[in-house]
Amino acid sequence: VVQFALLFLTQFCCFKILQKLNGKPLFNALAVFYIGISPALVNCALSLYSEILIIALIPAAILLIGGIFHYLPQLTGKKIFLAGFAAGLILIVLTLVKGIFEVAGPLIFISSFFMALRIKKPDIIKRTTLVILVGLLTFWSGIAAYKTTNKHFNGNYTLTNRGAWAFYGFAARRVEPMPKERIMAGLAFIPGEGACKRFYSEEQCYFWSFYTSDAFSFTKLKEVMAQG
C-alpha cells in the first residue's frame, strides 16, 4: 500500500509541475497516465530499494523548492532565512536517500541564482542569495554532521563507503563485450528481472543484475586490499 501511495504521490507531483509549466491538459493527463503504467517506474515503486522513495521525493522537492523561490518576493525578515533552512533540509533528505544528491543538490541553488540574475532586480537577487547561502549552510552542516557520526562509529568520513567500489563495478560491467543479445537482454531488464527472464535465459539476465556489478567490485576490492 505504501509503495502504491508513493507512486500516486509521484503522479500527483508531476501533474502539478506540468500544470505550472502550462502544459496542455491532454498532454498532462497522458504523461500522468504513462507514469502509472510505465514498466520501469512501476518496477521501481514495487522494489524494496531506495528508488521507491526517490521517485516520489524528486518531483516533490522540485515543487517545494520551486515554491520557495516563486514566493520569495513576498518573504521578509526571518521568513527568508526559514525558506533557506527548509530548502537545505529538503536537499539533506534527498541526499540521505540517494548519495548522488550530495553533488547534484547544490546545482539546484546555482540554477536558481542564475534565474534571479536574469530578472535583473537587485532586491530579488539579494533575497535569492540569502536563501541560497542559508540553504547551502544548512545542507553542508547536516551532511557534515552525518559524515562525522559515520567517522566516529565506522571510521569512514563519508555518507557510505560503497561508492567507489560500486562505481567501479558498474564501469567494469559496461566495458565487457556487448553482443546484440546481451544488449537486448539489458533492455528487457529495465522493467525488472522477471520481465527479462520471460524472453531471455537466466544467465543473460543475471549479467544485468546488481550481483554481477558487485562481483566485479568485490574482486577488485580484494585485489586492492591485498596490495595494502
Side-chain angles (χ1 to χ4, degrees):
V1 176
V2 173
Q3 291 158 289
F4 277 111
L6 289 171
L7 183 60
F8 177 76
L9 177 61
T10 303
Q11 290 177 290
F12 175 78
C13 291
C14 288
F15 180 72
K16 298 299 292 184
I17 291 172
L18 289 170
Q19 281 188 320
K20 291 182 180 296
L21 292 174
N22 296 321
K24 294 184 178 181
L26 179 59
F27 175 80
N28 296 349
L30 290 174
V32 172
F33 174 74
Y34 179 73
I35 291 174
I37 64 171
S38 166
L41 288 174
V42 173
N43 179 64
C44 286
L46 299 181
S47 298
L48 297 179
Y49 299 103
S50 56
E51 282 77 10
I52 66 175
L53 286 175
I54 205 65
I55 61 171
L57 284 177
I58 289 177
I62 292 173
L63 277 178
L64 292 172
I65 295 178
I68 288 173
F69 285 101
H70 177 74
Y71 292 105
L72 193 58
Q74 303 173 24
L75 302 180
T76 57
K78 293 182 178 179
K79 291 183 178 180
I80 294 179
F81 290 92
L82 288 175
F85 181 71
L89 287 180
I90 293 169
L91 293 187
I92 289 175
V93 172
L94 286 175
T95 304
L96 293 180
V97 176
K98 279 295 180 183
I100 187 62
F101 283 97
E102 182 183 4
V103 177
L107 296 178
I108 298 175
F109 288 135
I110 294 175
S111 62
S112 300
F113 179 73
F114 282 109
M115 289 177 65
L117 290 179
R118 290 183 60 187
I119 297 176
K120 298 180 180 180
K121 292 184 178 180
D123 184 57
I124 297 297
I125 295 175
K126 179 181 177 181
R127 290 167 186 254
T128 302
T129 302
L130 282 174
V131 169
I132 290 174
L133 290 176
V134 174
L136 288 175
L137 180 62
T138 301
F139 173 66
W140 284 328
S141 297
I143 297 302
Y146 183 93
K147 288 182 176 181
T148 301
T149 304
N150 196 16
K151 173 69 175 178
H152 177 75
F153 288 103
N154 301 307
N156 299 299
Y157 185 76
T158 182
L159 288 173
T160 173
N161 65 347
R162 69 183 298 271
W165 60 262
F167 179 77
Y168 172 84
F170 284 114
R173 180 171 61 184
R174 290 295 191 272
V175 297
E176 286 291 295
M178 289 289 171
K180 182 180 178 181
E181 285 294 308
R182 178 168 284 180
I183 294 174
M184 297 305 295
L187 293 174
F189 198 90
I190 293 174
E193 187 174 358
C196 180
K197 289 181 178 179
R198 290 178 62 90
F199 303 99
Y200 297 93
S201 68
E202 184 172 351
E203 181 181 358
Q204 289 172 311
C205 295
Y206 185 84
F207 177 82
W208 294 103
S209 71
F210 68 89
Y211 296 108
T212 301
S213 59
D214 281 358
F216 284 119
S217 301
F218 284 124
T219 300
K220 178 57 67 174
L221 183 62
K222 289 179 181 178
E223 291 178 10
V224 174
M225 292 179 68
Q227 295 171 2

